């Protein structure tokens, strides 16, 4: 079974030695993804805009690996403030409302102060 490595072009991937996603067979594991716009390396100020960027990057990685958002079976959401939950739930509902993967949200610190949210997903084709 071949392992396919996917990059989003983020400089963090090379520096820290990881792939945006790794696909093997019917599985795809997408690394924790923050809200950067990797084309411009800018970070939006709001958690809502960051969440949308995260999902856009994740969707692109899944597509490149031969998957779609409909294949997502597990989400981990990391936010820096519990109050962000109510601000991003409707965004997640727009994307995952019909898919309904298993999900967990954790309140924690992230590695840069501008990062307000990080999203990690697992997809299973089939």
């Amino acid at each position: 079974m071949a392992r396919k490595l996917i990059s989003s072009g983020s400089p963090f991937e090379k520096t820290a030695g990881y792939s945006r996603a790794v696909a093997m067979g019917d599985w795809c594991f997408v690394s924790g993804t923050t809200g950067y716009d990797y084309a411009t390396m800018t970070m939006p100020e709001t958690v809502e805009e960051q969440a949308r960027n995260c999902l856009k990057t994740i969707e692109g990685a899944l597509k490149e690996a031969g998957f779609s958002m409909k294949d997502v079976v597990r989400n981990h959401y990391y936010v820096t403030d519990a109050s962000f939950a109510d601000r991003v739930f409707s965004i997640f509902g727009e994307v995952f409302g019909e898919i309904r993967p298993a999900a967990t949200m954790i309140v924690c610190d992230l590695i840069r102060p501008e990062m307000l949210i990080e999203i990690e997903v697992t997809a299973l084709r089939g």
Side-chain angles (χ1 to χ4, degrees):
M1 187 178 324
R3 184 167 95 153
K4 184 175 183 179
L5 306 179
I6 307 298
S7 175
S8 65
S10 164
F12 302 126
E13 293 168 21
K14 183 173 173 100
T15 301
Y18 72 95
S19 295
R20 174 64 46 216
V22 176
M24 288 187 70
D26 289 334
W27 290 94
C28 186
F29 305 90
V30 181
S31 293
T33 303
T34 61
Y36 281 104
D37 174 337
Y38 290 111
T40 63
M41 281 310 293
T42 58
M43 177 70 82
E45 290 185 22
T46 71
V47 70
E48 294 89 347
E49 291 173 295
Q50 288 188 28
R52 290 186 196 287
N53 276 2
C54 293
L55 294 169
K56 179 180 173 186
T57 300
I58 289 166
E59 184 173 31
L62 287 170
K63 184 176 181 181
E64 187 175 337
F67 292 77
S68 76
M69 294 297 252
K70 291 180 181 179
D71 296 315
V72 173
V73 295
R74 182 72 169 128
N75 296 350
H76 290 125
Y77 303 111
Y78 305 93
V79 294
T80 58
D81 189 306
S83 70
F84 292 161
D86 289 332
R87 293 170 54 185
V88 296
F89 279 161
S90 64
I91 296 167
F92 301 151
E94 291 170 17
V95 176
F96 296 112
E98 297 299 317
I99 303 162
R100 299 190 54 197
T104 301
M105 182 173 281
I106 299 166
V107 179
C108 62
D109 288 331
L110 295 174
I111 63 170
R112 302 257 192 283
E114 68 271 18
M115 296 175 178
L116 305 177
I117 186 167
E118 186 167 345
I119 304 171
E120 172 187 9
V121 307
T122 303
L124 175 61
R125 193 176 9 245

